[in-house]
Amino acid sequence: MDITTRLNDINNRIANGLKAGQRENEEVLLVAVTKNQDVTSIQKVIDNGIIHIGENRVQELIKKYDEIKGAKWHFIGYLQRNKVKYIIDKVYMIHSLDRLPLAKEINKQAAKLNRIMPVLVQINIAKEATKSGLAYEEAVEFIEGLKDYPYLRVMGLMTIAPLVDNPEKVRPYFKQMKALFDQLKGKNFPHTDIKYLSMGMTNDYEVAISEGSNLVRVGRAIFT
Ligand SMILES: *Cc1c(COP(=O)(O)O)cnc(C)c1O
């Protein structure tokens, strides 16, 4: 199968997920996760109209950034403070804000460019020791505290569900994330514009969408 066929298949499954969640009139943003993929394959995805591209490593993003035209870059991996300065002028959104010192650094670097940086707050929904992200219970207070960083704009939440054999097993986590997302919207904090619920990867994006995700980060289903 080529990339075009696989993207069609993914679009069908996105539609199925929306239908299952009775959200037929809503939209889902597909971010193609291109870690370990070469420039030619990434360019094919962009030529197919998928311009939102996700990378989880700073070095790799910077290298590809210069070679690829027409992409909107999403940073989706763990972000070290000392690397923020390398991506601040390149990325459309950072999905992995998970601690105050990082917020402070993003704010500082964004201020230098006089740019307001869109960010998502990462939640470790299953409280896995191996994953970064805030606990569910800490999220609202953390986000409220981000008002002290005027060069950030909180656009929503991101999570990575546990890897399981059957994606139905993680449905309860997606439900919890949707509830938190709605709670945050209701708070209407002025420094936020709660729009994106970034959840769902190759193994579980259809289930995630049926529970309310509107941004999925898909790698393997596109490239392998
Ligand atoms: C790799 C990665 C993805 C994509 O995972 P696939 O299983 O290849 O779809 C999504 N989000 C993050 C944070 C990743 O690192």
Side-chain angles (χ1 to χ4, degrees), residues 6-223:
R6 285 196 292 261
L7 285 171
N8 281 334
D9 183 55
I10 291 166
N11 279 327
N12 287 335
R13 289 187 55 192
I14 288 174
N16 289 344
L18 284 171
K19 193 154 184 249
Q22 297 173 310
R23 309 174 51 211
E24 280 99 330
N25 299 322
E26 295 177 42
E27 278 177 29
V28 173
L29 180 63
L30 173 61
V31 173
V33 177
T34 54
K35 60 183 180 220
N36 306 320
Q37 300 301 326
D38 60 27
V39 168
T40 313
S41 311
I42 300 172
Q43 203 63 59
K44 263 187 211 147
V45 170
I46 294 170
D47 295 344
N48 275 277
I50 307 298
I51 63 165
H52 289 265
I53 301 294
E55 283 286 341
N56 69 338
R57 291 178 56 222
V58 170
Q59 276 316 111
E60 204 173 328
L61 188 150
I62 293 171
K63 189 166 174 288
K64 289 169 178 172
Y65 183 85
D66 287 329
E67 299 177 50
I68 288 170
K69 300 287 163 250
K72 289 188 196 290
W73 296 89
H74 293 246
F75 191 78
I76 62 174
Y78 180 79
L79 184 53
Q80 287 176 277
R81 263 189 298 170
N82 62 358
K83 303 264 174 78
V84 172
K85 56 180 175 288
Y86 302 120
I87 63 165
I88 194 76
D89 59 333
K90 301 183 175 61
V91 295
Y92 178 80
M93 191 155 72
I94 294 171
H95 290 225
S96 46
L97 175 59
D98 60 353
R99 57 203 193 278
L100 279 178
L102 179 59
K104 193 173 172 192
E105 180 65 14
I106 295 171
N107 187 69
K108 179 178 152 193
Q109 297 299 338
K112 284 188 195 169
L113 300 179
N114 197 24
R115 162 171 200 206
I116 306 240
M117 187 69 222
V119 298
L120 302 179
V121 171
Q122 184 173 353
I123 308 295
N124 184 356
I125 193 65
K127 299 188 160 72
E128 293 173 280
T130 53
K131 289 202 173 112
S132 46
L134 290 148
Y136 183 91
E137 297 81 0
E138 299 168 324
V140 173
E141 198 184 333
F142 176 81
I143 290 167
E144 192 170 11
L146 294 176
K147 68 177 183 309
D148 298 336
Y149 304 101
Y151 290 90
L152 300 190
R153 174 138 307 129
V154 182
M155 304 296 294
L157 300 171
M158 181 272 238
T159 200
I160 305 172
L163 186 58
V164 289
D165 48 9
N166 177 357
E168 285 300 330
K169 289 183 184 162
V170 290
R171 187 181 287 279
Y173 292 128
F174 293 141
K175 270 194 210 300
Q176 259 187 300
M177 287 295 300
K178 177 62 162 59
L180 182 58
F181 179 71
D182 289 340
Q183 187 191 350
L184 272 172
K185 267 195 196 170
K187 296 271 180 198
N188 250 316
F189 294 133
H191 61 296
T192 69
D193 180 10
I194 305 297
K195 265 199 185 131
Y196 293 114
L197 181 54
S198 169
M199 62 183 191
M201 309 174 18
T202 292
N203 281 315
D204 55 23
Y205 68 94
E206 204 174 319
V207 173
I209 291 166
S210 73
E211 293 298 337
S213 164
N214 60 17
L215 190 165
V216 292
R217 309 175 311 269
V218 178
R220 286 172 299 144
I222 298 176
F223 296 104

